[in-house]
Amino acid sequence: MSAAEKVVVGQDGAVLIVAINRPDKANAVDADVIAGLARAYVRLSDDPSLRVAVVHSRGEHFTGALTSSRSPLAWLPEGKASCRREAATRGPCTARRRRSR
């Protein structure tokens, strides 16, 4: 399975739909999944037409495990969409809700 197939992203109106797609591996999170989730977060952050993201998985399990000894924070991109510093200082990153216009 290619890296792009491990996280499938779609859109339904103002909803970004993100699916972890590794059912054969109990949707275990690896570097490709982290990168795909980060790309989805960037898309949500950059597209003003998107209001919310729904993350789900395909198969029996939402996610089985992290399949690396590396910290997931090591895979996050630097820049405006990065949660690396926030996660290190205040805990997990949270999406900020946009106000209705």
Side-chain angles (χ1 to χ4, degrees):
M1 177 176 292
S2 73
E5 294 172 317
K6 290 181 180 180
V7 176
V8 179
V9 179
Q11 185 174 343
D12 184 7
V15 180
L16 186 68
I17 302 167
V18 183
I20 300 172
N21 185 33
R22 296 186 72 202
D24 57 321
K25 302 286 186 192
N27 291 309
V29 176
D30 65 1
D32 294 333
V33 172
I34 294 288
L37 292 172
R39 283 191 299 275
Y41 178 81
V42 169
R43 181 172 168 185
L44 178 65
S45 177
D46 289 349
D47 187 340
S49 72
L50 292 170
R51 305 279 300 150
V52 66
V54 175
V55 179
H56 68 99
S57 61
R58 299 199 172 144
E60 226 176 290
H61 307 281
F62 177 70
T63 185
L66 180 65
T67 59
S68 175
S69 59
R70 287 179 60 195
S71 165
L73 296 177
W75 292 315
L76 289 173
E78 286 294 335
K80 72 175 188 171
S82 175
C83 293
R84 185 185 302 231
R85 284 177 295 281
E86 182 178 340
T89 58
R90 294 189 300 221
C93 301
T94 57
R96 288 165 181 83
R97 191 172 142 209
R98 299 182 204 272
R99 290 186 172 190
S100 299
R101 293 179 190 175

